[in-house]
């Protein structure tokens, strides 16, 4: 052990002595690691924000959505007690073990809110069970501190709606919807909270209690549009969906499993009678965004690999030169009693420390880049808010992504240092001392 | 003696018969009469509608449309002539389907009778024939005075789910013409008031000269006073001449402005 520390110390000293020679190699590695860490962490953060927005919007990792033809339109998002019980029972029988189950009524046929003569047409009106959605509500970013003990007369508005309408917390507003049969219905609500959500999911959105919305739409009190299941992790979600589909399709009328929006649209356009339930996972809604981010990821890694190849080639040449210059020194060390393995350990220690320094400095540089980006406004980019958290583009360092990035740096260093160092330490003593090429 | 007899016996009887004759038809029958006076079976109807919308604080916007109705086949066509930006847009009602044509995209899309007409306070359903007696039942009626008109005020409740407003109040003058309505939501919120002060009388048929819609919820506070959003429809050049069959088709809308 003592020998190991001595060799490690020697490696550090040699690295310091040859710091100018290693300068280019370290700079290239720092830059490469910083750029890739910056891009991948921003990409992971963007996907995470999109996933969270979608998860809170659709209320679940797996969502059972009911389409009911018993309405004035081609269909309405609706299911009755029969379907709800079947879905809950099927989830039990399929053994998917959700962490939470959430029932929501969703209305998106141009609901409007009125205040002092101003009118705003909403895109989404969500009816939720306040007490069962504290998990989602507590994650919302409200303009003012909110008491989340909400009732049937309360309404939560997204900030853009509240600002355009000119309301503040405590104001009374009128909400107008069409019943499932197409007649106009209204309700008076108190603005209980204003949520900062400027994403595409939240821009023109409001939340009221499920019971209030059901009554406005002339649904039965216990009815809903969707049953959402949340899980501890989003691993094997697709497998759980298939399990649930297998059980559920034996109990009620279900639509086939769809894997993207086009398939979904196609299936929704097929005629059917009564209530048909579709099971969705979030990637179906997010496929386009997911594909965009994956493409961005592939581009990033392509860039990274190209940088690594350039670094590898130039670093190999540099490293061979460094070893060539140190050949006599290595020969002298052999003469005074160092074994070949000791010399290799010294050389690898140098390389390992170069790797560690590059990672730390690269990470710091990535942090600086991320900080700079977080100060930038992306308001000129329509819809970009969906990728941001609290209005900022922030990095997310996922262990898996960071592990891949770190492994790639060490892989380059390993490839660069392994062969030349073995050759140098195995070379005959006269060859080393006479300055023969390695 | 005779004067006394007239005063105490004949006048009450006369008054009774006058009252009975006024209400000789039931309130529901009155609705049928209202519908029949402004429905044009057996003939086609065409006119030019000038729609002026006033958004308080935002000024006026004007839309001119040509309306062609054939009530016997429950169809109508509306062609937008002004403003220039909307010129060529059109509506075609065929059975229960209402098509909207956009010359920019050259596509027909279905729209709803309950939707706003060209983003004004009028609804697409305001251009169809009157179907009050088919869509509503009378739940209460009383005699009232509305300006210069003696009216029967009827409180109506929808009997079909297809109507935009599930509750309504209708003021009907003695001549059986609709003079004012108040449209309510299912929960009883006043949403819109409409007034029809004058009608054209053409060969026993009646055509409104002007219709005023006042939105109860939309408007703005001007100088500390709430001013409602309004839309006024002025109808000119009404005609009951035969309209070519080809007008009531998608092809007509596609070619009308070419």
């Amino acid at each position: 052990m003592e020998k190991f520390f001595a060799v490690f110390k020697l490696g550090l000293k040699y690295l310091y002595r040859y710091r100018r020679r290693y300068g280019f190699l370290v700079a290239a590695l720092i830059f490469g690691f910083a750029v890739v860490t910056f891009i991948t962490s921003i990409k992971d953060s963007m996907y995470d924000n999109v996933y969270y927005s979608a998860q809170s919007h659709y209320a679940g990792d797996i969502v059972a959505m009911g389409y009911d033809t018993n309405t004035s339109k081609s269909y309405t998002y609706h299911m009755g007690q029969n379907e709800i019980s079947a879905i809950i029972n099927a989830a039990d029988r399929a053994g998917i073990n959700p962490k939470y189950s959430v029932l929501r009524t969703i209305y998106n046929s141009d609901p409007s809110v009125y205040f002092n003569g101003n009118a705003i047409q909403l895109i989404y009106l969500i009816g939720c069970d306040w007490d069962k959605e504290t998990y989602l509500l507590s994650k919302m970013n409200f303009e003012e501190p909110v008491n989340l003990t909400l009732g049937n007369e309360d309404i939560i508005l997204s900030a853009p709606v509240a600002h355009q309408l000119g309301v503040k917390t405590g104001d009374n507003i009128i909400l107008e919807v069409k019943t499932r049969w197409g007649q106009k219905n209204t309700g008076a609500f108190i603005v209980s909270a204003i949520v900062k959500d400027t994403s595409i999911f939240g821009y023109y959105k409001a939340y009221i209690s499920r019971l209030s919305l059901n009554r406005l739409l002339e649904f039965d009190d216990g009815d809903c549009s969707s049953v959402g299941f949340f899980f501890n992790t989003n691993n094997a979600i697709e497998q759980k969906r298939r399990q649930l589909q297998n059980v559920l399709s034996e109990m009620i009328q279900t639509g086939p499993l769809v894997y993207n929006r086009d398939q979904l649209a196609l299936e929704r356009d097929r005629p059917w009678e009564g209530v048909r339930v579709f099971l969705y996972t979030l990637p179906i809604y997010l496929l386009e965004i997911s594909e965009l981010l994956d493409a961005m990821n592939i581009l990033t890694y392509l860039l990274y690999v190209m940088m690594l190849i350039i670094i590898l080639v130039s670093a190999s040449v540099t490293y061979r030169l460094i070893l060539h210059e140190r050949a006599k020194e290595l020969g002298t060390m052999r003469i005074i009693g160092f074994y070949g393995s000791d010399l290799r350990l010294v050389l690898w220690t140098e390389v390992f420390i170069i790797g560690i320094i590059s990672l730390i400095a690269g990470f710091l540089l990535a942090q600086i880049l991320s900080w700079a980006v977080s100060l930038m406004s992306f308001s000129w980019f329509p819809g970009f808010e969906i990728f941001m958290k609290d209005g900022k583009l922030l990095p997310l360092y996922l262990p898996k992504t960071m592990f891949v990035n770190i492994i790639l740096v060490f892989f380059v260093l390993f490839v660069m240092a392994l062969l030349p160092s073995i050759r140098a330490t195995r070379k005959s003593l006269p060859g080393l001392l006479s300055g023969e090429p390695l | 003696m005779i004067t006394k007899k007239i005063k105490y016996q004949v006048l009450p009887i006369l008054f009774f018969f006058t009252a009975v004759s006024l209400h000789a038809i039931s309130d529901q029958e009155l609705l049928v009469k209202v519908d029949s006076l402004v429905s044009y079976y057996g003939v086609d109807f065409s006119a030019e509608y000038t729609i002026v919308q006033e958004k308080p604080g935002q000024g006026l916007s004007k839309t001119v449309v040509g309306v062609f109705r054939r009530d016997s086949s429950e169809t109508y066509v509306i062609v937008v002539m002004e403003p220039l930006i909307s010129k060529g847009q059109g509506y075609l009602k065929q059975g229960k389907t209402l098509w909207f044509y956009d010359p920019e995209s050259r596509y027909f899309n279905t729209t709803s009778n309950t939707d706003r007409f060209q983003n004004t306070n009028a609804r697409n359903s305001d251009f169809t024939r009157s179907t009050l007696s088919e869509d509503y039942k009378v739940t209460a009626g009383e005699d009232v005075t509305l300006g210069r008109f003696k009216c029967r005020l009827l409180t109506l409740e929808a009997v079909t789910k297809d109507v935009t407003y599930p509750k309504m109040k209708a003021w009907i003058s003695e001549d059986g013409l609709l003079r004012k309505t108040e449209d309510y939501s299912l929960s009883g919120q006043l949403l819109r008031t409409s007034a029809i002060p004058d009608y054209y009388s053409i060969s026993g048929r009646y055509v409104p000269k002007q219709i005023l819609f006042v939105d109860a919820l939309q408007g703005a506070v001007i100088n500390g006073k709430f001013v409602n959003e309004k839309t006024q429809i002025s109808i000119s050049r009404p005609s009951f001449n035969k309209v070519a069959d080809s007008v009531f088709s998608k092809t007509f809308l596609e070619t009308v402005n070419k």
Side-chain angles (χ1 to χ4, degrees), chain A residues 114 116-119 174 176 178-179 181-187 215-216 218, chain B residues 114-115 123 158 160-161 163-166 185-187 189 191 217-219 226:
Chain A
Y114 298 90
N116 261 355
N118 291 329
I174 291 171
E176 182 189 283
K178 283 179 192 165
T179 67
W181 314 113
Q183 297 179 329
K184 283 190 176 289
N185 203 358
T186 52
R215 288 180 179 172
L216 282 173
E218 291 204 289
Chain B
T114 60
D115 286 348
R123 301 273 158 190
T160 162
K161 301 280 188 185
V163 293
T164 314
Y165 301 105
S185 72
L186 191 64
S187 63
Q189 169 76 46
L191 298 175
L217 297 178
Q218 292 196 67
F226 186 79

Side-chain angles (χ1 to χ4, degrees), chain A residues 14 17-18 325-334 433:
Chain A
Y14 275 119
R17 184 190 290 173
Y18 293 103
E325 283 177 4
R326 293 170 64 183
K328 285 181 185 171
E329 186 184 274
L330 292 173
T332 310
M333 288 170 79
R334 289 267 295 276
L433 292 171

